[in-house]
Amino acid sequence: MSTITPPANPEADPRVKAVFDDIRATRKSDFINNMWLWLAFDPDLLEQTWRDVKTVMATPSALDPLVKEMLYIAVSVSNGCGYCAHSHTAAARAKGMTDAEHADLLRVISLAARTNQLATALQVPVDAAFDRTS
Amino acid sequence: MSTITPPANPEADPRVKAVFDDIRATRKSDFINNMWLWLAFDPDLLEQTWRDVKTVMATPSALDPLVKEMLYIAVSVSNGCGYCAHSHTAAARAKGMTDAEHADLLRVISLAARTNQLATALQVPVDAAFDRTS
Amino acid sequence: MSTITPPANPEADPRVKAVFDDIRATRKSDFINNMWLWLAFDPDLLEQTWRDVKTVMATPSALDPLVKEMLYIAVSVSNGCGYCAHSHTAAARAKGMTDAEHADLLRVISLAARTNQLATALQVPVDAAFDRTS
Amino acid sequence: MSTITPPANPEADPRVKAVFDDIRATRKSDFINNMWLWLAFDPDLLEQTWRDVKTVMATPSALDPLVKEMLYIAVSVSNGCGYCAHSHTAAARAKGMTDAEHADLLRVISLAARTNQLATALQVPVDAAFDRTS
Amino acid sequence: MSTITPPANPEADPRVKAVFDDIRATRKSDFINNMWLWLAFDPDLLEQTWRDVKTVMATPSALDPLVKEMLYIAVSVSNGCGYCAHSHTAAARAKGMTDAEHADLLRVISLAARTNQLATALQVPVDAAFDRTS
Amino acid sequence: MSTITPPANPEADPRVKAVFDDIRATRKSDFINNMWLWLAFDPDLLEQTWRDVKTVMATPSALDPLVKEMLYIAVSVSNGCGYCAHSHTAAARAKGMTDAEHADLLRVISLAARTNQLATALQVPVDAAFDRTS
């Protein structure tokens, strides 16, 4: 059940085909997951989304690729996005996440959610020592 | 402005003093941030929270301590917890997070929030390839 | 799978029947979607919820009906409510939302989620120019 | 700092005065908190909001008034609403919430946030035993 | 569809068996719901989570057990956790929650979400009267 | 109080200056709000964020500019982002949002949050009629 109809033959559109080809080349895999098939209903949105994902996730940067996937999982779970939890856990696995790392990730994000509630419930004032403004 | 009155002299309670002493010893610092001063209004809640934080964040585990702080930031920001964003950014800095890593962290968590919205709005069905149940 | 048992024959209750009749008359359609069938487990909650929805969504007001449906989608997606994303996307379609408007809606709400994360992560202070208090 | 200008003399508007009088009578107090002063910028929104709050929170119902305030706190904290955490903690205090009950409330809502993260991260399938549909 | 593979024979691990035995003894039931079967993929995470749930939810404390379940539902729904909404509604039912209490719970948590939006949208300043700091 | 130190003289960096010049030209105003001053701590993140905001919000598209600002407010409020609620309410005002439209916006987003809670709490199954997949 979805809120849009994904195109039956998305690669008939050359803009979609170009994005899909780049996804396959970047990931060195023929698999195009549903997120991209669905976004293909609007080639402009597809291009913009893929460009962002490629820039941030598939380009070498300060953080390790696996760390970036785990951060992605942390946000996706906090936002309750089931699709994203699935796709980025699979991506983290593909980048080598072990069971022990997965369990550790779960420990940290569930602890964070717990103490977030406490700080918000108590409305704890921010310590001056944490301010970096000046 | 807070929803509770933190105790004026928290270490007069020996259970609070024991937790604060352990915080200082674990962190090798005399600084006790407001979160703990506020939680001291209920020694049992203070003990339980510190035990959890110490177990997950201050005990060697599968993930690197800095990675764990960055995951903590990701969840705290997603939950809109200002205090937590401040305290865990300070903690990540103390563990060596550079400006470049901080900016990269922001890129990943803001991208994740963006694509979370897209997947939820489209109600994209989970790919069978992502299922690990069987 | 649901957390309650919807009544087998909801319109046997005259209060439920009155609400359902008003839904059909207001929407000029015989279709009663599941939300209302489920809420019928408590006629009081059903009446109150329908009264609110009718007042806000089905009464001419400052904003255009389609704009109101798109705002509803924005909130529903942000809250991760799959049912609501489905029902209000269908409602927006019924009120004329085009594919291009749908894609534009997705662009805006996903961008907003992205910059929300940045502002919260940086804890950017509010500009005095934005204050309307005085 | 606010996003609207609250009216300088709200009770000059008879609809606002009627709501404020009812708030004072219902609560047996002369204090009108900022939420209502701000909502007075639109008398219709003020009336509708107060009617809802009075119906749900100030009318005898299946749940105890203090329990309802604690549920309100739980939702407000989960949504990161600082104003609401403050106002409903004050209301719960006024209805007799003790320090021990407050701490217990914090224990439950912070635990719930923790296990919510785990269930979402693992995408645990719902047990058939929990389904009440049939 | 899940992000991990639950162990085929979890009680072959003595740490898992000990937790499951304690769940059965504490709940006086042979039923182990999926949450625990899934968490068994990491015995340490299982032990820690069960210890927390048992301490907070299954130990006599300031709040009534049914009230605690309803608070758990309030947080779970706010976080969009479908599994948790199911499991804790079932638990509240098992502890005696009536249809009338369930409907009242829904009235309160949905009202809270509504006024949370208003307070946040208006950025209402916190009343000095609500501050308990000093 | 912020989690970073915004640069003292941001336009000394030519990449920052180019973005700020484009913000001023696009908005036909000399005012640079804090969000951009803070993002200037990382010129790459600044450029990427401004490019996205300009593309989506300052380029003619299917939706009206004021509607897009109101959608931005809806998401920002749902995410509890105070800065964003302020900045986008100001932007909507600058684009002509009236008090009546503002109040209507608040009615819709607060109603949506209310019914989101109900649908999630009840775990209402999606009607087949809403599915657009096939």
Side-chain angles (χ1 to χ4, degrees):
Chain A
M1 310 262 285
S2 296
T3 62
I4 60 139
T5 309
N9 187 13
E11 301 193 50
D13 181 313
R15 292 172 68 194
V16 172
K17 183 173 191 315
V19 171
F20 284 14
D21 282 346
D22 196 35
I23 291 173
R24 287 185 282 250
T26 303
R27 296 183 165 172
K28 303 184 197 334
S29 162
D30 278 347
F31 179 56
I32 303 282
N33 57 301
N34 285 345
M35 180 75 174
W36 307 108
L37 296 171
W38 260 247
L39 285 170
F41 91 100
D42 186 89
D44 184 67
L45 183 62
L46 173 71
E47 284 177 348
Q48 185 183 33
T49 307
W50 169 244
R51 185 196 60 198
D52 280 356
V53 169
K54 185 181 179 184
T55 301
V56 175
M57 298 303 285
T59 308
S61 64
L63 297 176
D64 177 80
L66 175 53
V67 169
K68 293 197 284 191
E69 287 296 349
M70 290 192 294
L71 290 166
Y72 222 114
I73 294 169
V75 172
S76 300
V77 169
S78 299
N79 284 333
C81 181
Y83 184 85
C84 315
H86 267 107
S87 63
H88 290 281
T89 302
R93 286 283 176 185
K95 286 175 181 158
M97 183 174 70
T98 63
D99 274 0
E101 288 169 332
H102 195 190
D104 213 26
L105 165 66
L106 297 180
R107 254 186 294 275
V108 175
I109 66 177
S110 63
L111 174 66
R114 180 177 222 168
T115 60
N116 287 178
Q117 292 278 86
L118 295 173
T120 300
L122 296 172
Q123 293 283 297
V124 181
V126 178
D127 302 75
F130 294 153
D131 185 23
R132 291 177 61 90
T133 308
S134 58
Chain B
M1 311 263 284
S2 298
T3 62
I4 60 137
T5 310
N9 187 13
E11 301 194 50
D13 181 313
R15 292 171 67 192
V16 173
K17 184 170 190 316
V19 171
F20 283 15
D21 282 345
D22 195 35
I23 292 175
R24 285 186 283 249
T26 303
R27 296 180 167 176
K28 302 186 200 326
S29 161
D30 278 347
F31 179 56
I32 303 283
N33 56 302
N34 285 344
M35 181 72 174
W36 306 108
L37 296 171
W38 259 247
L39 284 170
F41 92 102
D42 186 88
D44 185 68
L45 184 61
L46 174 71
E47 284 176 349
Q48 184 183 35
T49 307
W50 169 244
R51 186 194 60 199
D52 280 356
V53 169
K54 185 180 178 184
T55 301
V56 176
M57 298 302 285
T59 307
S61 64
L63 297 176
D64 177 79
L66 176 52
V67 169
K68 292 197 284 191
E69 287 296 347
M70 291 192 294
L71 290 166
Y72 222 113
I73 294 170
V75 172
S76 300
V77 169
S78 299
N79 284 332
C81 181
Y83 183 86
C84 315
H86 266 107
S87 63
H88 290 280
T89 303
R93 286 284 176 183
K95 286 175 180 158
M97 182 175 70
T98 63
D99 274 0
E101 288 169 332
H102 194 190
D104 213 27
L105 165 65
L106 298 179
R107 256 188 291 276
V108 175
I109 66 177
S110 62
L111 174 66
R114 182 177 221 165
T115 60
N116 287 178
Q117 292 277 89
L118 295 172
T120 301
L122 297 172
Q123 293 284 297
V124 181
V126 178
D127 302 73
F130 294 153
D131 185 23
R132 290 176 62 89
T133 306
S134 57
Chain C
M1 310 263 284
S2 297
T3 62
I4 59 138
T5 310
N9 186 13
E11 301 193 51
D13 181 314
R15 294 172 66 193
V16 172
K17 183 172 190 318
V19 171
F20 283 15
D21 282 345
D22 195 36
I23 292 174
R24 285 185 283 249
T26 303
R27 297 183 166 172
K28 304 185 199 325
S29 161
D30 279 347
F31 178 56
I32 303 282
N33 57 301
N34 285 344
M35 181 73 173
W36 307 109
L37 296 171
W38 260 246
L39 284 169
F41 92 101
D42 185 89
D44 184 68
L45 183 62
L46 174 71
E47 284 178 347
Q48 185 183 34
T49 306
W50 170 244
R51 186 195 59 198
D52 280 355
V53 169
K54 186 180 179 184
T55 302
V56 175
M57 298 303 286
T59 308
S61 65
L63 298 176
D64 177 80
L66 175 52
V67 169
K68 292 197 285 191
E69 287 295 348
M70 290 192 294
L71 290 167
Y72 222 114
I73 294 170
V75 173
S76 300
V77 169
S78 299
N79 284 333
C81 182
Y83 184 85
C84 315
H86 266 107
S87 63
H88 291 280
T89 302
R93 286 283 175 186
K95 287 175 181 158
M97 183 175 71
T98 63
D99 274 0
E101 288 169 332
H102 194 191
D104 214 26
L105 165 65
L106 298 180
R107 255 187 293 274
V108 175
I109 65 177
S110 63
L111 174 66
R114 181 177 221 166
T115 61
N116 287 178
Q117 293 276 87
L118 294 173
T120 300
L122 296 173
Q123 292 284 296
V124 181
V126 178
D127 301 74
F130 295 152
D131 185 23
R132 290 176 61 89
T133 307
S134 57
Chain D
M1 311 263 284
S2 297
T3 63
I4 61 138
T5 309
N9 187 13
E11 301 193 50
D13 182 313
R15 292 172 68 195
V16 173
K17 183 170 190 318
V19 170
F20 283 14
D21 282 346
D22 195 36
I23 292 175
R24 285 185 283 248
T26 303
R27 295 181 167 176
K28 305 185 197 328
S29 161
D30 279 346
F31 179 56
I32 302 284
N33 57 301
N34 285 343
M35 181 74 174
W36 307 108
L37 297 171
W38 259 247
L39 285 170
F41 92 100
D42 186 88
D44 184 68
L45 183 61
L46 174 71
E47 284 177 348
Q48 185 182 35
T49 307
W50 170 244
R51 186 194 60 198
D52 280 356
V53 169
K54 186 180 178 184
T55 301
V56 176
M57 298 302 285
T59 307
S61 64
L63 297 176
D64 177 80
L66 176 52
V67 168
K68 292 197 284 191
E69 287 296 348
M70 291 191 293
L71 290 166
Y72 222 114
I73 293 170
V75 173
S76 300
V77 169
S78 298
N79 284 333
C81 181
Y83 184 86
C84 315
H86 266 107
S87 63
H88 290 281
T89 302
R93 285 283 177 185
K95 286 175 181 158
M97 182 175 71
T98 64
D99 274 0
E101 288 169 331
H102 194 190
D104 213 26
L105 165 66
L106 298 180
R107 256 187 292 274
V108 175
I109 65 177
S110 63
L111 174 67
R114 182 177 220 165
T115 60
N116 286 178
Q117 292 277 89
L118 295 173
T120 301
L122 296 173
Q123 294 284 296
V124 181
V126 178
D127 302 73
F130 295 152
D131 186 22
R132 289 176 62 89
T133 307
S134 57
Chain E
M1 310 261 285
S2 297
T3 62
I4 60 138
T5 310
N9 187 13
E11 300 193 52
D13 182 312
R15 292 172 67 193
V16 173
K17 183 170 191 317
V19 171
F20 282 15
D21 282 345
D22 195 36
I23 292 175
R24 286 185 283 247
T26 302
R27 297 182 166 174
K28 303 186 198 329
S29 159
D30 278 347
F31 179 54
I32 302 284
N33 58 302
N34 284 344
M35 181 73 174
W36 306 108
L37 296 171
W38 259 247
L39 284 170
F41 92 101
D42 185 89
D44 184 67
L45 184 60
L46 173 71
E47 284 177 348
Q48 185 183 35
T49 307
W50 169 244
R51 186 195 58 199
D52 279 357
V53 169
K54 185 181 178 184
T55 301
V56 175
M57 299 302 285
T59 307
S61 64
L63 298 175
D64 177 81
L66 175 53
V67 169
K68 293 197 285 190
E69 286 296 347
M70 291 192 293
L71 291 167
Y72 221 113
I73 294 170
V75 173
S76 300
V77 169
S78 299
N79 284 332
C81 181
Y83 184 85
C84 314
H86 266 106
S87 63
H88 291 279
T89 302
R93 285 283 176 186
K95 287 176 180 157
M97 184 174 70
T98 63
D99 274 1
E101 288 170 330
H102 195 191
D104 213 27
L105 165 66
L106 298 180
R107 257 187 291 276
V108 175
I109 65 177
S110 63
L111 173 66
R114 182 177 220 167
T115 60
N116 287 178
Q117 292 278 88
L118 295 173
T120 300
L122 297 173
Q123 293 284 297
V124 181
V126 178
D127 302 73
F130 294 152
D131 185 22
R132 291 178 60 90
T133 307
S134 57
Chain F
M1 311 263 286
S2 297
T3 62
I4 60 138
T5 309
N9 187 13
E11 301 193 51
D13 181 313
R15 294 172 67 193
V16 173
K17 184 173 189 316
V19 171
F20 283 14
D21 282 346
D22 195 35
I23 292 174
R24 285 185 284 248
T26 303
R27 295 182 168 175
K28 303 187 201 324
S29 161
D30 279 347
F31 179 56
I32 303 283
N33 57 302
N34 284 344
M35 181 73 174
W36 307 109
L37 296 171
W38 259 247
L39 284 170
F41 92 101
D42 186 88
D44 185 68
L45 183 61
L46 174 71
E47 285 178 347
Q48 185 183 34
T49 307
W50 170 244
R51 185 195 60 199
D52 279 356
V53 170
K54 185 181 179 184
T55 302
V56 175
M57 298 302 286
T59 307
S61 64
L63 298 176
D64 177 80
L66 176 52
V67 168
K68 293 197 285 190
E69 287 295 349
M70 290 192 294
L71 291 166
Y72 222 114
I73 294 170
V75 173
S76 299
V77 169
S78 299
N79 284 332
C81 182
Y83 183 86
C84 315
H86 266 108
S87 63
H88 290 281
T89 302
R93 285 283 175 185
K95 287 177 181 157
M97 182 175 71
T98 64
D99 274 0
E101 288 169 330
H102 194 190
D104 214 27
L105 165 66
L106 298 180
R107 255 187 293 275
V108 175
I109 66 177
S110 62
L111 174 66
R114 182 176 219 165
T115 60
N116 287 177
Q117 292 278 87
L118 294 172
T120 301
L122 296 173
Q123 293 284 297
V124 182
V126 178
D127 301 74
F130 295 153
D131 185 23
R132 291 176 60 88
T133 307
S134 57

